[in-house]
Amino acid sequence: MNSPKPHAILRAALVLVALTWAGTTLADPAALYRQHCARCHHPDRLGAIGPALIPQNLHRLRKKKAIQVITHGRPATQMPPFGDKLTPEQIAGLADYIYTPLKSVPTWGMKEMQANHPVPHPHGTLPDKPKFQADLDNLFVVVELGDHHFTLLDGDTFEPIGRFPTRFAVHGGPKWAEGGRYVYFLSRDGWVSKFDVYNLTWVAEIRAGINARNLAVSDDGRWVMVANYLPHDLVLLDARNLDPVRIFPAAGKDGTSSRVSAVYAAPPRHSFIAALKDSPELWEIRYADDQGRPVPADQMTVRRLHLKGVLDDFFLTQDYRTILGSTRGGGAQVIDLDSGRDIARLDLPGLPHLSSAITWQRGDTRVLATPNIRKPEVAVIDTATWKVIKRIPTPGPGFFMRSHEKSPYAWTDVFFGPHRDLMLVIDKQSLEIVKTLRPAPGKTSAHVEFTRDGRYALVSIWDMDGAIVVYNARTLKEVKRIPMKKPSGKYNVHNKLTRSEGTSH
Ligand code: DHE
């Protein structure tokens, strides 16, 4: 028998390689998923930095739109475009794949939470005296996303007091509580971690969900409420040791199971306010009555407010009487919290980033200003009439906005596009951009927070080789630069606990 010719072997090998490649790319989206998506969305599609990609959580995303997102990326998220790496067939295969039900979705109930609940220092066992010298009312927590740490920063000297490892991908603002003694963090994969500032140590943790959204702490310091994307629920924890106390399954009145967009505490109302993401409902859960008397956990009830559209993002006014909410791809609605009525509609095209909005007094009216994730503008709204009174053009869409009662300026970033290294300073009365700063040319600058007295503004440079840049908030001159690893957000204890009008709550 003749042995095969070398070029025939080569051809057969090439065919085999091509078939294998085609097999992986066309017929095996699971392999593509593992290669391109698993790192951010979890190997089992349960969500990590990116959201869970399972049919239960994709109700509002049509497959056609999912294909666009995979191809072009998604603004205001960390989802990059794959159109230059994958063929349209591969992308379509991936889209089919993420709409395929999992064989089983893991349950995450009381039992699972209890089994993931270390309490290294039970409540009341550590000293009540701080281990360090600093003004306890002017501390900052700085989340360093770059290597999953946070720095506790002295707001007078701008010297770090300590640097501590966090869970993977902390998202949203850590919440200060009990006069600044404790801070609660939440990671996207559902871990709630409680830090004792006086003793500079983690005291309790619990995994409250698989894919979490944010958390809120009641003003009396007794409760932590966690909003989840997976499972579809809100979880009530006893703030002392983070013991799970009650699960509120999230479903609309018609029974539609739903992710939770976000939850916030409304101190004057003694309640938690949460929006459902797959059902047009806003929930209010009271933890104390009008006289401030605690409501026991098993007697807490859900008050449902029925809306015209689902809320993806929302802002609570300083008096916690009104909500301005927006729907991705839709308009904005203003809801009176007491009556539950829709009291105004606003023309806010693009994607106003309402959870980053702030308010201030301008003449005899209070205005609300919001950056926009899709449109290069800051919209300024009169909260008495709920009319847009100015659209300030910016060099690109922005993410965060900040000010302080004592500052004449509001600061906002240009998070997206070629001008992402700019920081804009807006005069709060003239509503004009009066200064454009470029703290680190070529690197994204974003997210500002003020010191307690409003004299200094701290800006993040979002880079592994990043920094916090401290500015004199009046002269707008740089005073200090503190190296940090992709510092995402920073949170001043005084501004947070006093619910300063210039910061997020
Ligand atoms: Fe956030 C806060 C939702 C993407 C960094 N973000 C919040 C809050 C919500 C929210 C509801 C308020 C929670 C709180 O503080 O209690 N974020 C969303 C999204 O829906 C969105 C657009 C898509 C998503 O991936 O979930 C999104 N966010 C991002 C990012 O890609 C950012 C830039 C990087 C990251 O960490 O993932 C990011 N979000 C932040 C930060 C805050 C935040 C730093 C806290 C802001 C503050 O000052 O309070």
Side-chain angles (χ1 to χ4, degrees), residues 49 51 75-78 145 170-173 175 188 213-215 229 261-264 277 312-313 328 353 355-356 373 399-400 402 415 447 462 488-491 496 504-505:
I49 293 177
T77 71
Q78 294 175 56
L145 256 194
V170 164
H171 173 234
K175 301 293 184 299
R188 289 204 186 238
R213 199 66 191 137
N214 81 325
L215 64 75
Y229 265 8
S261 270
V263 62
Y264 297 100
K277 205 169 169 77
D312 287 310
D313 199 3
R328 221 172 229 275
H353 197 212
S355 54
S356 262
I373 287 169
F399 217 105
F400 302 108
R402 279 288 200 277
F415 201 81
H447 198 278
W462 282 52
S488 55
K490 60 211 86 62
Y491 310 88
K496 292 293 172 197
S504 58
H505 299 159

Side-chain angles (χ1 to χ4, degrees), residues 14-15 37 44 49 85 95 120 151 178 185 240 252 261 289 293 307 313 318 320 361 370 410 415 423 477-478 501:
L14 283 175
V15 168
C37 321
D44 295 326
I49 293 177
K85 293 192 188 74
T151 290
E178 297 206 34
F185 294 73
R240 285 170 296 186
S261 270
D289 66 15
R293 286 183 301 240
L307 311 175
D313 199 3
Q318 280 294 109
Y320 292 89
Q361 200 62 29
T370 175
F415 201 81
M423 185 56 68
K477 296 268 181 292
E478 179 177 334
E501 65 182 22

Side-chain angles (χ1 to χ4, degrees), residues 24-25 29-39 82 86 90:
T24 311
T25 54
L32 279 179
Y33 179 89
R34 280 196 297 278
Q35 189 182 345
H36 298 287
C37 321
R39 198 166 55 91
F82 285 89
L86 302 174
Q90 290 173 321

